[in-house]
Amino acid sequence: MESLKKDVLTNLADFLRQHEQEILACWLDKMRQADVEAGSAEPQTYWKELSEFYYPGIIKSIFDPQDKRVLQGIKQAVKNEQVAGVSYQHIIKGYFVFRDIIIDKLISRKESFFKKQAQVDRLISVICQTIDQQVARIGEFYIQVFLAEITDFQLKQQSLSYRIPEIIYSYSPEHGFTFVSHAIEKLLGAKPTEFYHQDFQVWLEYIHPQDREKVLSNFKQQRENKKEAEYEYRMLRRDKKSVINVVNRSAAIYDNNGDLITIDGIIIYITQMKKMEHQLRMRNKQLELMGSELRKANQRLMEIDQRKSELVNIVAHDLRNPLNSIRMFIELLLKYENSPLENEEFLHKIEQESLRLINLIDNFLDIEKIETGRMRYKHQSVELSGLIEHFVSIYHWEAEKKGIVLNSEDFADIPKVIGDKHRISQVLSNLLVNAIRYTPSGGSISIQAKTVAGTRMSERLQPPSPEKPHKHVKISIKDTGPGINPEFHKHIFDKFYQLYSPAVKSNTGTGLGLAIVKEIVEHHRGRVWVESEEGKGATFFFTLPIKNA
């Protein structure tokens, strides 16, 4: 049998030598035609490689199927899918095209060395058998390589699955989850096998209930848009108590009909990043708040610095004016003969200017003591009614000189208070001086005092009752000056703060009087405030605790 096959192959070899160029040209033409039908167009160099390398290999493998170089070339072609420009598909196609050409020519020609038809039939049978065996061998090689590649891919995939900290997954509408990496054990406390071939509903159970609708919406949108997707949501660990934040990045693969084949994605753990982002936002807010406070403080310091600069000029002016007035009146007393009435008036003016000078100096000294915490108080029982009447009499002349009516009531029923008499005198003096300064000629100032049951805003006007005995005395000094815009009420008791009014001829002053008033009143556990509207005058109130209240 083998000798017969050998004789047949010898006849075939002679036949191929005789028609070599014709068969090669026909073989190349049919291979080109098959490529055109498949929609591909190979370059000229490709066909040169095919005729010089691949065609001789086919012939050699027919005459010597066990040739090691031929088998090695086939293995290399299968592994790399292309050797010298020849793909695996062309290897199989080339064998069958060659077979069909030889059979066609053997049937159509009556060669002299084929003495009988039986020889032609045997030759065709051997060619078909040999080529089929060779193609089957190529198929076996292909299957071996394909299985090896799958095994290698699975091993690499498994290795990556253990090393990558993110959850990698692959989901198919037909088969469910076909792959879930081992990172899911660390992040969710679940096993990858729990998801294999399970529907998306299993995955949905690990998603935070408040985010499930969003995830389903994004999943649906991705299938409709057929684009890559990225979205954040929260997931629950296996205990259903611990919550983690994740980012899902996925890409969908579709077939030629537009049907979804699989969705491959990665779940990235971002809880720590979310915490850092939250901390960063909070820190930014703190920095913004600190920046705002610093800007306000800086603005305030600039304003204070400006006021201090103005204060230097004001102090020089305020100190010079009373001293000049005192000197002038003393000269009038010494150099000129005046009537007793004129001398009394001059002495009264000297007293007033002296008081003004002393008050100015006291304010500077007191504010320095307040700043350094060295303000001293001597608490005792104070006859408030007599103290108020004393200051009314002192400032009555100055008010009258300016054309201002100074009204006061009978304070005989006002109880004694506990406090420092000298400091309470400063409060009365500063408030009366301010009222006279800002009240225009023809205006009036009213001083009232009454007992109240408390110091809160809701209680300050309440009369006493048996259930609520008297606790404080509330003193008010009301003027008919230009009034104070409500937006300035919160600043009016600040140091160096001054209100400028066109009704005042000279807006001089240190801006310290009301700051000292506030310090003294609050030290006595009382309150001080102002009620005023622009153009309607101002009323300053302060309260002091009653003795044995």
Side-chain angles (χ1 to χ4, degrees):
M1 183 66 181
E2 286 297 324
S3 61
L4 178 61
K5 183 177 180 180
K6 187 175 181 181
D7 291 339
V8 171
L9 290 176
T10 300
N11 291 334
L12 177 61
D14 293 338
F15 176 77
L16 291 174
R17 277 194 295 272
Q18 183 176 347
H19 304 284
E20 180 178 0
Q21 293 302 319
E22 181 184 354
I23 293 174
L24 175 59
C26 184
W27 184 79
L28 285 173
D29 184 61
K30 287 185 178 294
M31 291 292 286
R32 284 194 185 96
Q33 185 178 353
D35 280 347
V36 170
E37 291 174 357
S40 62
E42 302 292 347
Q44 190 64 31
T45 54
Y46 174 80
W47 301 110
K48 183 179 180 182
E49 295 282 356
L50 216 62
S51 61
E52 294 179 357
F53 171 79
Y54 181 46
Y55 178 77
I58 291 177
I59 296 174
K60 191 165 187 178
S61 67
I62 291 174
F63 290 99
D64 188 2
Q66 301 302 322
D67 185 275
K68 292 182 178 180
R69 287 175 296 177
V70 173
L71 294 177
Q72 188 64 31
I74 293 172
K75 287 182 180 180
Q76 188 177 357
V78 171
K79 287 182 178 180
N80 298 336
E81 292 197 357
Q82 192 166 325
V83 178
V86 182
S87 66
Y88 163 72
Q89 287 80 4
H90 276 86
I91 293 176
I92 302 299
K93 188 187 299 181
Y95 273 98
F96 288 129
V97 168
F98 179 79
R99 180 196 63 187
D100 293 342
I101 291 172
I102 297 302
I103 292 174
D104 182 64
K105 290 189 176 297
L106 287 173
I107 293 173
S108 62
R109 291 174 180 268
K110 300 295 184 179
E111 302 294 343
S112 58
F113 47 80
F114 292 126
K115 297 178 180 179
K116 296 180 180 180
Q117 182 63 34
Q119 289 180 319
V120 175
D121 294 339
R122 282 197 302 273
L123 181 57
I124 291 172
S125 175
V126 170
I127 289 173
C128 290
Q129 182 183 4
T130 303
I131 288 179
D132 288 344
Q133 289 175 351
Q134 197 68 7
V135 169
R137 186 178 290 109
I138 292 171
E140 290 176 4
F141 289 153
Y142 178 77
I143 291 171
Q144 291 173 7
V145 171
F146 180 72
L147 292 175
E149 286 179 351
I150 290 176
T151 303
D152 184 58
F153 174 76
Q154 289 175 336
L155 290 173
K156 288 179 179 178
Q157 189 182 49
Q158 188 176 20
S159 176
L160 287 173
S161 172
Y162 278 103
R163 287 185 293 173
I164 295 177
E166 290 81 17
I167 301 174
I168 300 173
Y169 68 89
S170 184
Y171 175 80
S172 165
E174 184 178 355
H175 303 291
F177 285 94
T178 55
F179 177 76
V180 178
S181 68
H182 288 272
I184 201 167
E185 294 185 36
K186 183 178 180 180
L187 293 183
L188 300 182
K191 298 287 185 182
T193 52
E194 295 179 32
F195 299 89
Y196 287 164
H197 305 297
Q198 297 296 319
D199 191 66
F200 192 74
Q201 185 64 34
V202 178
W203 184 265
L204 207 61
E205 291 176 2
Y206 281 88
I207 296 174
H208 195 283
Q210 296 178 1
D211 294 348
R212 287 173 185 171
E213 185 176 347
K214 178 178 74 173
V215 172
L216 286 172
S217 175
N218 288 328
F219 180 71
K220 180 181 178 182
Q221 188 175 2
Q222 182 181 14
R223 294 187 66 170
E224 292 174 352
N225 297 341
K226 299 182 179 181
K227 294 180 179 179
E228 295 181 0
E230 178 176 325
Y231 46 94
E232 294 183 18
Y233 55 88
R234 291 166 294 174
M235 298 193 76
L236 301 172
R237 290 182 57 82
R238 192 180 186 86
D239 58 12
K240 304 301 180 183
K241 296 179 180 178
S242 304
V243 179
I244 65 171
N245 297 87
V246 300
V247 168
N248 187 341
R249 294 175 182 167
S250 59
I253 300 173
Y254 299 86
D255 60 19
N256 294 332
N257 296 323
D259 297 325
L260 179 65
I261 299 175
T262 182
I263 294 179
D264 297 323
I266 181 170
I267 304 292
I268 304 172
Y269 174 75
I270 61 168
T271 300
Q272 290 299 117
M273 185 172 68
K274 280 287 184 183
K275 289 180 179 179
M276 292 176 66
E277 286 179 355
H278 176 71
Q279 292 173 354
L280 185 61
R281 282 195 299 269
M282 295 300 295
R283 184 60 178 165
N284 285 338
K285 287 182 179 179
Q286 291 175 355
L287 290 174
E288 287 176 3
L289 183 60
M290 290 172 63
S292 177
E293 291 176 351
L294 284 173
R295 285 191 295 272
K296 290 179 181 179
N298 184 57
Q299 181 64 29
R300 189 70 179 140
L301 287 172
M302 291 173 65
E303 291 174 0
I304 291 173
D305 185 64
Q306 177 65 25
R307 289 172 189 168
K308 284 184 176 180
S309 298
E310 295 171 357
L311 183 63
V312 173
N313 296 327
I314 293 170
V315 169
H317 181 274
D318 280 7
L319 288 175
R320 186 184 297 112
N321 282 351
L323 288 173
N324 285 337
S325 297
I326 292 170
R327 186 183 65 180
M328 181 186 69
F329 289 122
I330 290 174
E331 286 180 357
L332 289 174
L333 288 171
L334 293 175
K335 292 183 178 181
Y336 302 96
E337 292 184 4
N338 306 299
S339 65
L341 187 61
E342 288 177 327
N343 286 340
E344 183 181 354
E345 184 181 350
F346 292 157
L347 288 172
H348 187 73
K349 288 182 177 180
I350 289 172
E351 180 188 23
Q352 293 297 321
E353 294 298 326
S354 298
L355 287 173
R356 180 180 167 190
L357 185 60
I358 290 169
N359 182 64
L360 180 65
I361 295 171
D362 284 345
N363 281 346
F364 275 107
L365 293 175
D366 287 342
I367 204 69
E368 193 273 334
K369 289 177 183 177
I370 292 171
E371 294 278 351
T372 58
R374 294 187 294 108
M375 192 78 154
R376 296 291 180 262
Y377 295 88
K378 185 180 180 181
H379 291 278
Q380 59 185 352
S381 177
V382 179
E383 189 75 46
L384 194 57
S385 58
L387 196 61
I388 296 173
E389 289 172 354
H390 170 71
F391 277 96
V392 169
S393 65
I394 288 177
Y395 287 102
H396 185 273
W397 182 86
E398 187 171 347
E400 190 178 65
K401 182 181 68 172
K402 194 176 176 183
I404 300 170
V405 178
L406 185 56
N407 299 314
S408 63
E409 56 187 31
D410 185 6
F411 302 111
D413 295 335
I414 297 300
K416 293 180 180 181
V417 297
I418 297 297
D420 188 310
K421 184 177 180 179
H422 173 65
R423 299 303 179 191
I424 295 172
S425 298
Q426 278 184 270
V427 173
L428 289 167
S429 177
N430 283 344
L431 292 177
L432 280 169
V433 167
N434 278 351
I436 293 169
R437 175 183 295 170
Y438 287 97
T439 301
S441 177
S444 64
I445 298 172
S446 301
I447 305 174
Q448 292 182 341
K450 62 175 66 176
T451 54
V452 292
T455 60
R456 294 195 303 271
M457 293 292 286
S458 61
E459 297 177 331
R460 65 175 182 261
L461 297 178
Q462 291 179 0
S465 65
E467 294 77 19
K468 271 192 172 181
H470 301 312
K471 292 184 179 181
H472 289 78
V473 174
K474 177 167 69 70
I475 299 96
S476 64
I477 299 175
K478 181 178 181 181
D479 63 55
T480 57
I484 304 169
N485 191 315
E487 66 177 289
F488 301 133
H489 289 187
K490 61 182 179 181
H491 298 300
I492 200 168
F493 294 98
D494 293 346
K495 292 187 292 292
F496 304 113
Y497 192 85
Q498 291 176 294
L499 287 174
Y500 293 89
S501 171
V504 182
K505 292 181 180 179
S506 178
N507 283 293
T508 58
T510 60
L512 299 176
L514 291 178
I516 293 171
V517 166
K518 184 174 183 289
E519 165 66 25
I520 293 172
V521 172
E522 290 183 351
H523 177 82
H524 285 79
R525 292 181 300 167
R527 291 183 64 253
V528 61
W529 68 95
V530 63
E531 292 181 358
S532 178
E533 292 183 25
E534 203 163 11
K536 295 184 179 181
T539 304
F540 283 84
F541 299 88
F542 70 94
T543 61
L544 294 171
I546 295 173
K547 182 183 179 182
N548 299 325

